[in-house]
Amino acid sequence: MLSEQEYKIDILGNIPFISIHIGTLLIFWVGFSWVALITCFALWFIRMFGVTAGYHRYFSHRTYKTTRWFQFILAVIGNSAAQLGPLWWAAHHRHHHHYSDTKQDIHSPIVHGFWWSHIGWVMCPKYSQTDEKKVRDFAQYPELQWLNRFHMIVPIVLAIILTVIGIVFQQYIPQLKTNGLQMLAWGFFLSTLLLYHSTFTINSLAHIFGDRRFNTIDSSRNNWFLALITLGEGWHNNHHFYPASERQGFYWWEIDVTHYILTLLAWLGIVWNLRTPPKQIYEQLSLKSADKTSQVINISDSDVD
Ligand SMILES: [Zn+2]
Ligand SMILES: [Zn+2]
């Protein structure tokens, strides 16, 4: 277990994070409009893609390749989700895969409990720094270093743009029935809050609830509901079993929206070399479905890499 000191939560250092939660309450004051709700959903979707395709599948696991320009765009979209910088995110996530559900795993719900895995570790000052040794591959890019250092700039600019758009709408398209504060409340605060807690379910709930297709050494699960609210990240047992794969839903019925968008981007030539699960996994899985006595598939990563 972590020591008492390590479980400490830093309130002052997390004022921006706490402000997102309190700021969301504004929606009850500024009222509803369709344009504000659609903006909230659209920004949740685009930024979730930045987290899943960018921060997770690209920066943490290098499951596909792209240009330096599109790499930067992925980093900016991921950064707009207000989950700190790309190097910070990838370094901590690589640590999670290395020590999954052991004492050293910073956000294991099995070892440290649900609330710590969901939100506590995010607010712990011990984990606020980036261990660059874990992300040497991307730390060499000055533009990523810049985003990582000044990670507040992109979210703040987004909040300002939304407020300005709201003011312009109120002035020139009053029939939309919105204003600056309403666009800020729905488009930034609520949307970011939903992003936080959908992303965080993968650290917490996806290690507790769901099916275990693969007998991995951690407690990761496949959960269709979590996959829907995270654009495909809920196939977490698949992912822990074979993290090098770009797709996390291993079959067509395992909905993985991030994979569909990356497939489209590959078709357009923007990304390439999307890594897939090896054939051996599918062969073993079809053997398993033929042999009902077998409980779980157990192939070590080295066998299939
Ligand atoms: Zn995990
Ligand atoms: Zn991962």
Side-chain angles (χ1 to χ4, degrees), residues 93 96-97 100-101 105 107 202-203 206-207 218 220 236 239-240:
H93 190 70
H96 167 63
H97 276 269
S100 303
D101 292 319
D105 185 356
H107 49 67
I202 301 306
N203 295 334
H207 278 253
D218 52 73
S220 58
H236 203 52
H239 174 59
H240 268 277

Side-chain angles (χ1 to χ4, degrees), residues 185-204:
W186 289 79
F188 185 73
F189 286 122
L190 176 61
S191 176
T192 307
L193 181 100
L194 294 173
L195 260 174
Y196 278 151
H197 292 286
S198 40
T199 307
F200 296 167
T201 60
I202 301 306
N203 295 334
S204 57

Side-chain angles (χ1 to χ4, degrees), residues 88-234:
W88 177 89
W89 208 104
H92 281 84
H93 190 70
R94 287 176 182 185
H95 184 92
H96 167 63
H97 276 269
H98 202 75
Y99 296 107
S100 303
D101 292 319
T102 68
K103 279 184 211 167
Q104 288 102 312
D105 185 356
I106 298 165
H107 49 67
S108 166
I110 310 301
V111 181
H112 307 300
F114 171 81
W115 284 108
W116 185 261
S117 71
H118 190 76
I119 203 170
W121 77 277
V122 177
M123 301 178 75
C124 180
K126 190 173 190 297
Y127 308 121
S128 62
Q129 299 303 313
T130 303
D131 180 0
E132 284 194 14
K133 290 196 292 299
K134 288 194 163 65
V135 279
R136 280 193 216 278
D137 43 349
F138 290 113
Q140 58 174 308
Y141 296 102
E143 68 274 22
L144 298 181
Q145 284 282 7
W146 188 87
L147 272 181
N148 204 56
R149 186 159 171 215
F150 302 107
H151 57 82
M152 298 267 283
I153 291 179
V154 175
I156 288 172
V157 168
L158 176 65
I160 293 170
I161 290 173
L162 282 165
T163 310
V164 171
I165 289 173
I167 293 168
V168 170
F169 278 171
Q170 185 181 20
Q171 191 75 25
Y172 297 102
I173 323 176
Q175 59 271 35
L176 289 177
K177 295 188 170 56
T178 190
N179 57 55
L181 206 55
Q182 191 189 64
M183 287 294 278
L184 177 71
W186 289 79
F188 185 73
F189 286 122
L190 176 61
S191 176
T192 307
L193 181 100
L194 294 173
L195 260 174
Y196 278 151
H197 292 286
S198 40
T199 307
F200 296 167
T201 60
I202 301 306
N203 295 334
S204 57
L205 298 177
H207 278 253
I208 304 171
F209 297 111
D211 300 321
R212 283 178 55 73
R213 169 181 289 148
F214 300 107
N215 191 18
T216 53
I217 53 169
D218 52 73
S219 176
S220 58
R221 314 282 164 144
N222 283 340
N223 185 308
W224 65 266
F225 178 73
L226 297 181
L228 287 181
I229 64 165
T230 56
L231 307 184
E233 303 281 303

